[in-house]
Amino acid sequence: MSIGQLLPQDLIQRLLSIPSAGLAAVPLGPAWLLIKVPADQEVDLIPTLLRSLENQDTSDSDGGGSTMEMPALSLSQVTSDGADLQLIAELDNVRHVAVPLLFRLDQRLVVGRSESAHIRTMDPSVSGKHAAFSWSDGALTITDLGSKNGTTHNDVRLLPHEKSWLQPMDRLQFGRVEAFLCDPRALRAVLLQEHRAAASQAV
C-alpha cells in the first residue's frame, strides 16, 4: 500500500507526525470516513471533496465530539492484526479521500451534491442532501435523508430517514459512492507500520 494513495497528503502527514501519547488529545474526529475514488470519477470527485475539507477547521478543539473515541472498539482491538489486515486490504491500490468527522454540539454532517453539504461529492448518483452523520452520547449514526438512490450500511439499504448506529470498519454506500469508517488511531498504526516496512526494504 502506498501512503500516497490516501488524500489529502497534508492531513495524512499530520496524522503520522502526532506522537502516540498525544493522539487522543488532538481533534481529528471520533472517526474518519474513507471515500473510495472510482477510476472514471477521479477528476470530479477528488477536487470537490478536498474543497469541502477546506471548510472544516481541524484545529478547533471546541468541537463537541471531536476528541472523543468511538466506544465500540478499544485501541488494543482496533490495532490488532485482523483490523490491520482489513485496513490494508481496503486501501491497497485504491485511492481514497480521508474525511475526518468533526462535530460541534447538536451538529450533523450532511453528505451530498448540494453546495451546503459538509461532505460534498459531485457523483450524479448522490442526491443534493443524501445522508447525514450525527454524534450523540458517544455514538455515531448515519441517517438516509430520503435520497433517490439510497444509502446502504454494511450492504443493507436504509429506509428513508432511518438512523443506523456505526462502528469502525463499517461499510457505507451513497448511491454508487463507496466508503468505510476508520478509527484514526488504527489508520495511523497501519500507515506507520507500512512506512517502516518500506523504509527497511529501501536500506
Side-chain angles (χ1 to χ4, degrees):
M1 178 186 70
S2 168
I3 293 176
Q5 289 285 98
L6 274 170
L7 297 173
Q9 270 294 293
D10 56 347
L11 181 64
I12 303 306
Q13 293 303 324
R14 181 184 174 204
L15 177 65
L16 292 175
S17 67
I18 300 170
S20 298
L23 186 58
V26 178
L28 291 173
W32 284 14
L33 182 68
L34 299 186
I35 301 175
K36 182 178 179 180
V37 179
D40 61 341
Q41 287 290 304
E42 188 168 347
V43 173
D44 292 328
L45 190 107
I46 289 178
T48 52
L49 277 173
L50 294 183
R51 279 196 294 273
S52 66
L53 274 174
E54 290 172 2
N55 296 325
Q56 293 191 32
D57 184 2
T58 57
S59 64
D60 182 3
S61 60
D62 293 330
S66 63
T67 59
M68 300 173 71
E69 298 172 357
M70 293 185 73
L73 296 175
S74 69
L75 179 59
S76 60
Q77 289 173 306
V78 296
T79 57
S80 67
D81 288 344
D84 287 0
L85 291 173
Q86 188 177 357
L87 262 175
I88 292 170
E90 292 284 354
L91 295 170
D92 194 26
N93 297 322
V94 180
R95 179 162 284 192
H96 286 74
V97 176
V99 181
L101 301 180
L102 296 170
F103 296 89
R104 291 175 175 82
L105 188 63
D106 298 328
Q107 182 191 28
R108 65 178 189 173
L109 300 179
V110 174
V111 180
R113 286 190 292 113
S114 168
E115 290 186 5
S116 63
H118 302 94
I119 304 169
R120 193 175 180 214
T121 171
M122 297 308 294
D123 190 282
S125 70
V126 177
S127 297
K129 293 184 178 179
H130 194 104
F133 290 97
S134 298
W135 177 267
S136 178
D137 298 325
L140 185 64
T141 61
I142 185 73
T143 303
D144 179 79
L145 298 179
S147 63
K148 180 179 179 180
N149 293 309
T151 302
T152 62
H153 175 203
N154 291 335
D155 299 322
V156 176
R157 182 161 176 161
L158 302 181
L159 296 173
H161 307 289
E162 178 184 5
K163 179 185 293 186
S164 189
W165 304 94
L166 298 171
Q167 298 184 42
M169 298 310 299
D170 278 0
R171 296 173 181 272
L172 294 166
Q173 190 163 335
F174 312 102
R176 73 169 201 147
V177 175
E178 300 176 35
F180 69 98
L181 284 176
C182 178
D183 187 308
R185 301 164 301 167
L187 180 60
R188 178 185 179 280
V190 166
L191 292 178
L192 283 175
Q193 182 179 354
E194 292 292 302
H195 185 70
R196 292 187 187 113
S200 65
Q201 291 175 359
V203 175

